[in-house]
Amino acid sequence: MNWLRKVLVTALVIAFLCPAVVYADISDDAVWEIGVEYQGAYDPLQIYYAWGQAIRLDPILASDDIAFDFQYYLRRFSDFSNPLYRGDDYAGEEDFKYYGLGGIDYIRIDAVDVGMWVGHGPEWYNPYYGTYTGWLAFYNNRDDHFLYPTNARWGDQDLDWIFLSTCNFLKNYGSVAQMNRLYDMMEGVHQILGFASSMYEHPYSGMTLAWLLTGQIKPPPEYPLPVYNIIDSWIKNAEYWQPQGKGIRARIKYYKADYGDCLPGFGFSGWQPVPWSPSLAEFYDYRDYVVQ
């Protein structure tokens, strides 16, 4: 009976780390896909203008490493394919913008199950809201250079989880109205994982995030790491690569029934959320983690 005891102990350990290990296929097209876009080659001489304010952005040397490693290791250790991988000149804010607002998210980021953006996330004062706003910065100008939270409605197609390796995009600046605008992005997406502060791009962070999600740093049958659920993977990755004592705040917006989601194939993957609205606010929440 030693073999049975080993099996039961292994199952209990896995269940503790990531409860209910089942393959829950909840994607619209039954194909698990990763979509990654990044920008790093910002021109420091280019000036961005909005609402009478100007900003310059320095290059991010680690962006392409983070983006490539994340999709590479995730594909290597899972059944995911990678139909969307666009960087620098090929990345654009319209790929993340809701199609009802002039974007093409339905054939880009919302056509995959797991999304990632790596790049700058500046902030500036929005006179229409009377508060500061975080935004994603694109140096090419297809539609415009900026993606604001009010431009996004993620999850009405395939997108279930999106990682935003960028500053400020999930920051609400103490404003309840701004926090609700962040929830407005949740049109069926289970979790939006990002930062509500500045952060640092480390070249190993994409690789480590994939390892945490899959529990692997070598092809099967070797499993040298525990499997963490998606939220815990994001927080642990921040612990590993974000500097301490700088007030860096990882933030996750999530549908409550999907709090414990694991990557499909590595644990329970939750339920399809109802789109957020003020009348359904009780079904949504957020979690903050400040790197100490």
Side-chain angles (χ1 to χ4, degrees):
M1 297 297 289
N2 285 338
W3 65 271
L4 180 58
R5 186 178 295 110
K6 290 180 180 178
V7 169
L8 290 173
V9 169
T10 302
L12 287 171
V13 169
I14 294 174
F16 175 76
L17 292 170
C18 196
V21 179
V22 296
Y23 190 90
D25 190 351
I26 53 176
S27 69
D28 295 337
D29 57 12
V31 177
W32 295 110
E33 297 166 327
I34 315 161
V36 180
E37 294 203 14
Y38 69 91
Q39 295 214 300
Y42 295 91
D43 181 355
L45 300 180
Q46 181 173 342
I47 302 176
Y48 299 86
Y49 294 97
W51 305 311
Q53 301 161 85
I55 191 172
R56 297 179 189 268
L57 299 172
D58 292 326
I60 302 176
L61 300 180
S63 285
D64 56 343
D65 292 325
I66 296 168
F68 178 83
D69 287 351
F70 177 72
Q71 59 83 32
Y72 171 78
Y73 284 100
L74 213 54
R75 286 190 296 110
R76 187 179 181 189
F77 300 139
S78 72
D79 295 327
F80 278 77
S81 63
N82 182 212
L84 174 64
Y85 183 76
R86 300 165 70 88
D88 287 331
D89 290 338
Y90 300 96
E93 57 85 31
E94 63 182 354
D95 296 347
F96 294 81
K97 181 182 283 187
Y98 179 53
Y99 66 89
L101 299 173
I104 55 172
D105 66 337
Y106 64 98
I107 60 171
R108 292 286 194 264
I109 203 64
D110 221 322
V112 300
D113 301 278
V114 175
M116 172 177 270
W117 156 257
V118 186
H120 274 303
E123 58 181 353
W124 51 27
Y125 186 76
N126 185 331
Y128 299 102
Y129 299 154
T131 185
Y132 281 82
T133 299
W135 47 281
L136 306 184
F138 297 80
Y139 66 74
N140 55 13
N141 189 359
R142 289 198 210 152
D143 185 9
D144 57 49
H145 292 290
F146 324 117
L147 184 93
Y148 300 107
T150 49
N151 299 146
R153 296 290 185 275
W154 292 326
D156 62 331
Q157 303 291 321
D158 255 16
L159 188 64
D160 293 323
W161 307 275
I162 184 166
F163 300 96
L164 302 172
S165 185
T166 190
C167 301
N168 299 315
F169 195 66
L170 296 184
K171 193 172 180 178
N172 69 309
Y173 304 92
S175 165
V176 174
Q178 177 70 357
M179 182 64 87
N180 288 343
R181 282 189 282 270
L182 296 174
Y183 280 119
D184 276 338
M185 296 188 290
M186 305 188 74
E187 193 73 14
V189 66
H190 296 205
Q191 298 168 358
I192 301 174
L193 304 101
F195 290 87
S197 67
S198 62
M199 52 83 66
Y200 292 79
E201 304 285 17
H202 193 285
Y204 294 160
S205 62
M207 173 178 63
T208 310
L209 181 59
W211 290 355
L212 291 165
L213 291 165
T214 63
Q216 301 174 61
I217 59 174
K218 293 181 180 180
E222 297 186 55
Y223 299 88
L225 298 174
V227 176
Y228 292 95
N229 67 40
I230 293 171
I231 289 178
D232 286 345
S233 294
W234 186 246
I235 289 172
K236 284 190 171 293
N237 206 44
E239 288 179 340
Y240 289 150
W241 301 120
Q242 297 303 313
Q244 298 177 344
K246 294 186 178 294
I248 294 175
R249 182 181 299 271
R251 173 168 287 175
I252 303 99
K253 313 281 285 188
Y254 62 90
Y255 185 61
K256 287 183 179 179
D258 297 329
Y259 177 84
D261 277 7
C262 292
L263 195 71
F266 297 90
F268 180 66
S269 300
W271 313 101
Q272 187 60 38
V274 293
W276 187 89
S277 69
S279 63
L280 297 173
E282 63 183 293
F283 297 105
Y284 284 84
D285 207 345
Y286 72 96
R287 178 179 175 183
D288 282 357
Y289 176 80
V290 179
V291 179
Q292 301 293 340

